[in-house]
Amino acid sequence: MKPKYIIAIIVGVLLASILPPVLPAYYTYVLSVTMCFAIYALGYNILFGRTGLLSFGHALYLGVGAYTVAALMRPELGPYRVFSMELLLAAAIVTSAIVGLGVGALCIRYTRIFFGLINLGFVMLWHALLLKLYHITGGTDGLPVYIPSTLGITFPYEIFRTFAFYYYILAIFVILTYVMWRIYNSPFGLALKAIRENGVRAEFIGIPVGRYRLAAYVISAIYGGVGGALWAPLSGQVSPDISTWLTSGDVVMMNVLGGMFNFAGPIVGAFIFYNLKIQIMHFTTYWSFILGLSAIFFVLVFPGGIMGWLSTKVRRFYGQKA
Amino acid sequence: MDPETVVIIILNGMFYALSLFLITIGLNILYSFMRVLNIAHGGLYATGAFLTWALMNAAAKAGYPIYILWLCIPAGAFLVGLIGLVIEPLLFKRLYRLREEYSLLATFGLMLVFDDSLRMIFGGSPLSANQLYNWMGTLTILGKAYPSYNFVIYAFAIAVALGLWIFFFKTKMGRILRGTAQDREMSTCLGVNVSILYTETFFLAVFIAGLGGAIYLPATNAYSGMGFEPIVLSFAVMIIGGLGSLKGALVAASMIGLVRAFGIALIPELELAVVFLILIMTLIFRPRGLFGKKFTREEK
């Protein structure tokens, strides 16, 4: 990494960590949720932007992560209830990796629209199961999520939601972003790019296309699971609504909005998407109308997304080739 | 289960299946000719129902006789077709050149726009226009009363299937269309105006979706969000039947409709899950679907 990036990141993290005392409590909460979605979108992009596979069902993993947390906190478990966030995260990683491995093994044989639709099939299957197996999942009401202990400390409700958990998520967000950066720039990450550009040629030069696609799929599933697991205690409640094909469309929108061919694209996209959604929801109930219009606008006018557009501008400014 | 119940379940299943069939045909046409998977098709289906409701409501208030209400159904569908004529040059023409991911996202956005616009214009509560349904009365099947209007729908869907088959395989325009789907450049060389042809095809696909919404309105309701469930199930139908196959769409829609109807009757916990299980099974064991063409190497 170039030194100027490292400085920028340190400044960014410092800025982010002085925010909670400064901002109103509500915005700290909003920012925490946004970071959960940013993790989810970042993971999704290794599949979508990097490997070129559009999944229309990744809310499945958001749901798997969130429901893992909720299920392990159920009072029915008695002495075996888990409240440690670290253990819950580990459990969410394991479950989403297992589900991702199973579903991914079936999906990666296809590309393009078949890949998108088989994922859509899986997320709707999962959604139907969440709705109908109400003895386990609570049906439409979903399950309550209690306050977990973070690093062994259990904070009171208000401090947890608007202060302590923010730093916890921020730390995980920074770590996972760094890990993803390493993955992107590893030989594996570059091979994924080759697969996106031309799968047949990538196979010819000896890249195991199927296995690499599966690995990318599982990574994206794990990121989705972690995003969901961190989001669950914030919302205090998980319900089947988070895992439908419509919420899967949201993550595609985040990536295209931010720029799917740019590393920071999904993060920027998640921030803009979620905050825009909240702001629009404040003044009109017809927020999906505006979101829909902006999706069309971005596809037609800025297919490279915000970051793609910005980076060409910056390069032109410095006189480099775009 | 007694035989009467089974017959009724089958009839109900087919009733639902045919609405999926009417949406899937449009999706299939758009996918096989323009390579656009139009998620907004569910929105157009809903628009058909809402516009027909507006027409029927106006006609009923003005006290027109019942045959005017029948005319509202094609009129509503035609209005949807007109919407198609507006959005095709504005949006879809630009999507044909883009990657599938982008067109999928843009039509997803359009679906959200349609759904919210309908809610904005017609409000959130369900709207019913059941004059025709009541006027038709009921028939007695094996001692059970069954609405006669449903038979109008069966006959209508069969007529649409037959009509489309004749259109695609027996008319000159159908031949031109199939030729263009195979080789767009060549048909341009042969003097086909592909741009206009695409607009016409788009109109046809959208018109059928609107007709689907319109003809179902008297038997059900128009409600906001009504396009979401059928569009997802239509994707399932499209994949199970095979992309671009008319026969496949009919068979798969019947399959899904019947599975759903029997599922509701027998295992109400899992009716939707079963539908998506069939979709996943199809993709795993026969990805080209029941009647789909074999994949070529670059399609894989």
Side-chain angles (χ1 to χ4, degrees), chain A residues 56-79:
Chain A
F56 232 82
H58 252 56
L60 169 63
Y61 302 105
L62 200 64
V64 167
Y67 268 88
T68 305
V69 170
L72 288 174
M73 283 186 173
R74 284 185 69 139
E76 284 88 334
L77 289 176

Side-chain angles (χ1 to χ4, degrees), chain A residues 54 110-111 132 245 288-289 303, chain B residues 102 104 116 232 269 283 300:
Chain A
L54 170 80
Y110 313 106
T111 57
K132 302 291 180 171
W245 69 281
S288 70
F289 180 87
Chain B
Y102 286 117
L104 212 57
D116 249 12
V232 178
E269 292 87 26
L283 277 166
K300 257 185 158 177

Side-chain angles (χ1 to χ4, degrees), chain B residues 230-273:
Chain B
I231 191 72
V232 178
L233 289 178
S234 296
F235 288 151
V237 169
M238 197 173 153
I239 294 289
I240 295 170
L243 288 178
S245 163
L246 194 66
K247 200 171 29 167
L250 191 58
V251 173
S254 315
M255 234 166 88
I256 296 279
L258 292 177
V259 164
R260 190 173 171 274
F262 279 101
I264 290 172
L266 298 173
I267 34 166
E269 292 87 26
L270 294 174
E271 38 105 356
L272 261 180

